[in-house]
Every structure is written in structure tokens, then in C-alpha cells.
Amino acid sequence: MNKIKIAVIGLGRLGSFHAINLQTRIFNAELVAVSEINETALANFTNKFPAVKGYKDYKEMLKDESIEAVVVASSTSTHATTVIDCIKANKKIFCEKPIAVSLEEAKEVQKIVDENDAYIQLGFMRRFDKPYVKAKAQILKGEMGKPVSLLAISRDPGCPPIEFAKHSGGLVNDMAIHDIDLCRWLMESEVKEVFAHGGVVKFKELGEIGDIDHVNISMIFENGKMALIEASRNSAYGYDIRTEVICENGAVAIGNIQDESTIYKIPNKTYINTIGGFLERFEEAYFNEINVFVENIINDIKPSVTAIDGLKAIQIADAINESLKTNKIVRL
Ligand SMILES: NC(=O)c1ccc[n+]([C@@H]2O[C@H](COP(=O)([O-])OP(=O)(O)OC[C@H]3O[C@@H](n4cnc5c(N)ncnc54)[C@H](O)[C@@H]3O)[C@@H](O)[C@H]2O)c1
């Protein structure tokens, strides 16, 4: 079978992880090219994998007609333009979340996707994480009855690099966006209204660039059910991602902060190790989502997480940001 010739744009924290997975673990893909504006990061990668061609300008790379698919993992502020350029170059696209930094950009991407019937999978990797997949299957089984409320916690262990934060779209669009997507996916209803409180409780440097480090979000869905989301950068103890869905006759809870089943028992000090960050917690999910992307292309299957999911998540994020600004309930 012919392997899918694939390229990666952006070799930062996550892009280099995707690129290494493609090079070493995703057997039906052949990583043929990478693009990165940071010359040192580009050289580090191509020195390690000399068969992979490096480009400083992704537009040059897109001219290579043998490349069938592209993973867009550059800074969020570049997603909309890059995705549109990839569509124009007739590539199939995996785009990291969020699809764009603003609602206007997300709508523009969706318009071009529709006009070109473009193939695009969005990087909501929690939908490919085993514990979340099991929870979704359990809900669909119906034994617990229908979901009535959702509680989500997403806590990062610290301030992201400020250069990253500047281009990220802010805490809601960058981080709570995962929980927003989970709400739509697990509650199987669209969000009707939101209310949010947020601010800087720890990292003044985020305040200086107009970002926040903590947000509490309350949501009501079209079917009357509800959700609460807490997203923050302030869990100094580790990466803490948890979700609980209460159903009519039961509940399903996903996630814990323990990185292994070892418990260290020392007099007066019993402890566990916590998860360090997103790469540790979602290592398999990042592999699964790109593997599914490649397999779906090979088998001519449409993506299950699309640009529409990206756009709807940004619409909700936009309403949350509006509520943060106005201190009012915002209806979608
Ligand atoms: N799904 C997840 O859990 C998850 C986790 C982390 C990051 N992300 C997303 O992945 C993307 C990258 O995040 P990151 O943490 O790797 O950020 P990063 O800042 O570490 O990396 C971004 C890289 O893109 C490069 N870049 C910027 N513009 C470029 C261009 N025009 N062409 C080529 N390269 C360019 C930068 O030089 C940088 O090396 C972001 O959109 C982020 O939201 C998703």
C-alpha cells in the first residue's frame, strides 16, 4: 500500500511531537517535509531526520504536489491563513486547535472549506483519548440515562511561554476550548447561553498582554441541561484534567492527577507523582488522532471532528469572552 506523503508546519512543543510520531510510529504515513520559521528548530529536526526536507517558508513546501496532507501545528495566530493556503494548494489538513484566533477568521476558514469541499480534521484530541472515548461509549449505551450536567476542570501547571500566550487567543480560546468541545460532544446539545468570571490571580505577565490565568464558566444548553468549566494556569502541583458527566441514573468521571499507579509510602509522607503536562497526559491521544487522520484518508472516510466543530467552539469561546468583558449572560 502507498503511504500518505505528509508534511508538518510548525515544530514547536506539539508540532515536533506530531512530526516525530509521523516519522517513527505512524506506519501508513511518510513524513516528507517540515516547515518552521525558527531556523534553529528547523535545523535541529532535519539534522536528526535528514530524509525529511526542511522549508523556512511553508508556501514553498505547499508547491510540492506529491504532498497529500499537512499537519498545521504552528502558532494559533497563523492557523486561519495557513489552513486557507493549504486548501488552495489542494492538501488534506489536520489543524491543531483552535481553528483560528477570532470568530471572524474561523468563519472565513469555514467559508473556504465549504467552497472547496476541503478535507480537514481538527485537533480536539480528547475525543481520541481512551478514557474520554470510553466515557462517551458508556453515555451512548444509555444505561445511565441521558446526560443532565457536566463539570470540567482544566488546570495547567504554570504560565505558558509568553511568546506562545501572545499568539494563543487567550485562556478561553487556547485552553477552555477543549472543555467547550467536550460539552458539545458529551452533552449532545448545543450551548444556548454562557456566563463567565475570570481574571489574573497569579501570573501578572499574562495580565500585561491582556490575557487571564483563571476562568469559571457556566453554560446552559438548548435542551436545558447545564455545565460548569474551570480553566486555569495555576495548578503548581501538576497538570490536572478532569471531567464528570452526571446522567439521569448515574455519572461518569474521567481523569485523575496521578501519573502512575505507584504510591510512595514514607513515614509521615505518603505521595504519588502528578502528571507534568499535556504531552504526558495526552501522549496516546495525540498519536491516535493523527493515526486516525492518516487511516481515514487511506480509506476515504470523512473526518469525525471537523472545521464546523472548530467554528462552533470558537463561537462559544467568543460568547464567553464577551461575558468576561460585560459581566453579563451572553446568548448564542
Ligand atoms: N491539542 C492540544 O492539547 C495542544 C497542546 C499544545 C498546543 N496545541 C496547539 O498547537 C499549536 C502549537 O502549539 P505549541 O505549544 O507547539 O506552540 P509553540 O509556540 O511551541 O510552537 C509553534 C511553532 O510554530 C512556529 N511557527 C510560527 N509561525 C510559523 C509559520 N508561518 N510557519 C512555520 N512555523 C511557524 C513557531 O516558530 C513555533 O516553533 C497551537 O495552535 C496550540 O494551540 C494544542
Side-chain angles (χ1 to χ4, degrees):
M1 191 193 341
N2 282 341
K3 294 185 177 203
I4 299 294
K5 286 194 173 20
I6 201 160
V8 173
I9 300 177
L11 293 172
R13 295 178 300 176
L14 194 54
S16 55
F17 194 80
H18 285 322
I20 289 172
N21 269 344
L22 282 161
Q23 176 69 17
T24 59
R25 292 179 70 196
I26 298 185
F27 297 114
N28 284 329
E30 181 188 351
L31 181 68
V32 290
V34 287
S35 170
E36 168 58 62
I37 51 171
N38 177 324
E39 285 178 24
T40 313
L42 183 62
N44 284 346
F45 192 89
T46 49
N47 288 341
K48 203 163 164 194
F49 302 109
V52 179
K53 193 160 176 199
Y55 293 83
K56 197 169 171 215
D57 180 356
Y58 74 79
K59 287 187 183 162
E60 281 304 308
M61 183 178 81
L62 294 181
K63 288 180 186 162
D64 180 345
E65 289 181 3
S66 75
I67 297 172
E68 184 168 353
V70 177
V71 171
V72 177
S74 46
S75 317
T76 299
S77 54
T78 67
H79 286 188
T81 341
T82 311
V83 164
I84 291 170
D85 286 337
C86 289
I87 293 173
K88 288 182 178 156
N90 201 24
K91 309 298 182 197
K92 297 185 174 71
I93 303 152
F94 176 95
C95 178
E96 260 313 327
K97 53 49 66 176
I99 194 157
V101 270
S102 69
L103 184 54
E104 292 65 37
E105 278 190 351
K107 283 182 178 166
E108 179 62 13
V109 173
Q110 185 57 45
K111 187 171 146 265
I112 311 274
V113 166
D114 285 343
E115 282 169 4
N116 292 274
D117 193 19
Y119 190 102
I120 171 163
Q121 179 180 327
L122 212 78
F124 286 131
M125 81 301 181
R126 293 190 194 177
R127 296 197 192 200
F128 298 86
D129 175 68
K130 203 167 161 191
Y132 279 102
V133 169
K134 280 186 165 177
K136 172 76 180 173
Q138 187 61 37
I139 292 169
L140 285 179
K141 237 166 131 186
E143 262 176 10
M144 301 186 300
K146 295 222 173 297
V148 294
S149 69
L150 183 149
L151 176 65
I153 290 172
S154 281
R155 295 184 191 147
D156 242 349
C159 186
I162 285 298
E163 259 325 288
F164 169 86
K166 275 185 194 163
H167 298 277
S168 71
L171 181 70
V172 174
N173 297 47
D174 178 55
M175 193 172 181
I177 201 89
H178 287 293
D179 303 291
I180 293 168
D181 180 60
L182 282 183
C183 282
R184 295 187 56 247
W185 187 52
L186 294 173
M187 297 298 287
E188 292 187 327
S189 181
E190 293 298 338
V191 175
K192 188 171 79 178
E193 62 183 50
V194 299
F195 180 71
H197 277 128
V200 174
V201 296
K202 189 171 176 186
F203 295 109
K204 289 202 182 80
E205 55 272 46
L206 285 172
E208 281 159 16
I209 60 161
D211 202 351
I212 54 175
D213 61 13
H214 189 104
V215 66
N216 293 332
I217 304 161
S218 174
M219 289 179 174
I220 298 183
F221 296 86
E222 280 170 2
N223 64 5
K225 312 303 185 213
M226 294 174 213
L228 280 177
I229 299 173
E230 177 199 306
S232 100
R233 307 283 192 195
N234 303 321
S235 57
Y237 57 87
Y239 188 62
D240 189 356
I241 305 293
R242 286 174 278 154
T243 312
E244 189 165 7
V245 184
I246 313 290
C247 299
E248 289 159 326
N249 307 311
V252 57
I254 306 110
N256 63 47
I257 60 172
Q258 197 168 337
D259 83 331
E260 51 188 36
S261 51
T262 315
I263 300 173
Y264 300 90
K265 297 179 181 176
I266 294 162
N268 303 319
K269 190 186 170 193
T270 292
Y271 67 93
I272 56 167
N273 282 325
T274 50
I275 298 167
F278 58 88
L279 289 175
E280 291 96 314
R281 169 63 184 84
F282 290 109
E283 182 180 1
E284 281 310 299
Y286 294 132
F287 165 79
N288 291 340
E289 62 179 357
I290 303 277
N291 198 37
V292 165
F293 173 64
V294 168
E295 291 300 316
N296 281 350
I297 292 175
I298 288 172
N299 295 304
D300 204 16
I301 295 171
K302 290 213 183 298
S304 59
V305 199
T306 62
I308 287 275
D309 294 307
L311 171 61
K312 290 203 166 165
I314 288 286
Q315 268 164 340
I316 298 165
D318 202 57
I320 294 165
N321 287 321
E322 179 68 17
S323 175
L324 283 170
K325 242 189 272 163
T326 58
N327 204 25
K328 291 199 169 117
I329 291 172
V330 178
R331 296 205 163 77
L332 277 105

